[in-house]
Amino acid sequence: MGQFPLTLSRFIIRSQAEHPGATGEFSSLLSQIGLVGKVIAHDLRRAGLINILGTTGETNVQGETVKKLDEIANDTFLRAFQGDGLVCALGSEEMEQMVSLPENWPQGKYMLLFDPLDGSSNTDCNMPLGSIFSVLKYTRADRPPTEGDLLKKGVEQVAAGYLLFGSSTMLVYTAGHGVHGFTLDPGIGEYLLSHERMQIPERGKVYAVNEGNRHKWTPGMQRYIEFLKTPDKATGRPYSGRYSGCLVADVHRILLGGGVYLYPGEVDKPEGKLRLLYEANPLGLVVEQAGGRASTGTMRILDIEPKKLHQRVPLIIGSRDDVETVEAFTQGRA
Ligand code: AFP
């Protein structure tokens, strides 16, 4: 008889038992993220039916059009974490400022940063979407957290991960001891351990990049993509291009099969598009924990000292060898 699959809750309890000082708060936080994933997945499944697709007509802090589902997902995170005593501050890619909790509300020791709905242009065409989260610890007792407390290097994250809303819903996370993936079984409403100790291959055969931006890239980046497309049996080229427009889905594919995701800086916009605290840092931690690498092209993502909440950063992430090859091109060594 086969073993009964391990649920997220059982896995969390088991992991907690390995940390004698654990109070259970972190375990509750992860379970709550799992719940958020169920709620968002439920909304996304009905999105085409209940007329919640499309735009609100407003623009967010990044100057981008807000989808109704962006707002719905953002509210879901806020409702799940405000007032339950697990966090003391929240930061959302969709909100200009940090959300602090009223002083008389229960305060937890964690701070949560999240991108509530990544790849939201995919909402109208039934393509994959994701949510990304980053967990930081607040250690001061003398005052409530301020926005500056959220500006921590990626290496200081205590946990990070993502929810992927694709053909199935997945929760993938790391708490600094490997990366574990859980798939939601909709029949029983439970996340089951489907990918224990995920390891990214050292080199892949897939690249994910928006090639429509080629004319904006530096010569080094243009040469790298040409290199990937040039056949060479010994190094497994040409690579296959796969780009969904959802960072979570693209990085997930690469985490499983290897390769590289690139959202490079551009000549007129060297900072690129993606957000350091909401996208690059959490995915950087996940990929590093799986044995991969995350870089701007010139430095490790997790070592960047953030200056502001919505800071953008170029992102080259994936298999170690592939990211190192990109770095050789962007640094003029190839
Ligand atoms: P949103 O979080 O605003 O939906 O952004 C999506 C995203 O940051 C990321 O998921 C994609 O990889 C990337 O943008 C796609 O951007 P382009 O449309 O410029 O290729």
Side-chain angles (χ1 to χ4, degrees):
M1 205 165 30
Q3 256 194 345
F4 212 71
L6 207 54
T7 63
L8 176 65
S9 15
R10 285 284 307 139
F11 186 85
I12 291 173
I13 291 167
R14 214 176 62 171
S15 313
Q16 192 184 320
E18 287 164 17
H19 298 91
T23 59
E25 284 169 84
F26 177 70
S27 306
S28 305
L29 188 143
L30 261 185
S31 308
Q32 197 70 348
I33 285 173
L35 178 62
V36 166
K38 289 183 195 176
V39 174
I40 297 177
H42 181 65
D43 286 334
L44 291 177
R45 265 200 307 277
R46 294 174 305 144
L49 301 171
I50 55 172
N51 194 27
I52 53 174
L53 288 173
T55 62
T56 58
E58 290 164 18
T59 48
N60 68 10
V61 62
Q62 321 284 349
E64 300 155 337
T65 308
V66 179
K67 297 272 177 176
K68 286 179 185 170
L69 281 167
D70 279 314
E71 277 185 5
I72 292 169
N74 194 51
D75 286 352
T76 305
F77 268 94
L78 292 180
R79 279 190 293 120
F81 284 100
Q82 278 176 326
D84 73 350
L86 294 173
V87 299
C88 55
L90 294 155
S92 164
E93 197 214 67
E94 291 294 334
M95 300 174 76
E96 190 165 0
Q97 284 164 358
M98 176 186 113
V99 180
S100 33
L101 311 184
E103 267 177 41
N104 54 343
W105 284 22
Q107 310 275 331
K109 63 182 175 202
Y110 293 106
M111 303 184 287
L112 183 71
L113 291 163
F114 56 92
D115 176 355
L117 203 59
D118 165 69
S120 47
S121 72
N122 282 1
T123 52
D124 292 337
C125 53
N126 205 4
M127 293 271 288
L129 290 116
S131 303
I132 309 174
F133 60 91
S134 162
V135 183
L136 301 167
K137 207 176 214 169
Y138 187 62
T139 45
R140 297 181 69 134
D142 57 330
R143 59 158 177 80
T146 63
E147 200 155 295
D149 296 308
L150 291 176
L151 304 181
K152 287 203 173 21
K153 286 183 184 178
V155 282
E156 294 181 58
Q157 297 171 101
V158 291
Y162 57 82
L163 293 153
L164 171 59
F165 309 108
S167 48
S168 51
T169 297
M170 284 194 73
L171 190 162
V172 175
Y173 85 93
T174 179
H177 305 281
V179 180
H180 310 291
F182 297 81
T183 303
L184 181 63
D185 181 334
I188 56 172
E190 290 276 5
Y191 290 94
L192 303 178
L193 181 63
S194 50
H195 299 71
E196 193 170 8
R197 296 215 165 271
M198 296 168 83
Q199 279 293 315
I200 184 167
E202 271 177 31
R203 178 170 281 275
K205 284 203 60 155
V206 165
Y207 73 104
V209 70
N210 182 344
E211 278 202 75
N213 293 330
R214 184 184 188 281
H215 63 288
K216 303 181 199 164
W217 297 339
T218 60
M221 187 52 64
Q222 294 187 358
R223 278 190 298 111
Y224 173 69
I225 299 296
E226 283 316 308
F227 163 82
L228 286 186
K229 295 196 281 194
T230 309
D232 176 49
K233 259 204 176 126
T235 51
R237 289 178 287 140
Y239 277 28
S240 291
R242 294 282 185 274
Y243 190 71
S244 72
C246 169
L247 172 67
V248 168
D250 289 327
V251 168
H252 184 69
R253 179 199 291 277
I254 282 164
L255 191 59
L256 294 176
V260 61
Y261 174 97
L262 310 101
Y263 212 110
E266 296 166 0
V267 174
D268 292 335
K269 198 182 166 199
E271 71 277 19
K273 172 182 181 184
L274 302 179
R275 292 70 168 181
L276 174 61
L277 297 176
Y278 302 108
E279 293 170 315
N281 270 348
L283 295 179
L285 187 67
V286 168
V287 166
E288 279 202 5
Q289 280 291 315
R293 190 171 171 94
S295 163
T296 62
T298 51
M299 83 175 278
R300 182 186 179 207
I301 291 285
L302 300 186
D303 285 337
I304 299 173
E305 189 95 55
K307 300 274 182 296
K308 53 182 187 176
L309 214 47
H310 292 279
Q311 185 166 331
R312 294 176 191 262
V313 72
L315 179 64
I316 321 288
I317 187 166
S319 293
R320 174 164 297 277
D321 282 5
D322 287 306
V323 175
E324 281 173 1
T325 307
V326 183
E327 288 171 328
F329 274 86
T330 53
Q331 294 169 21
R333 291 182 277 111

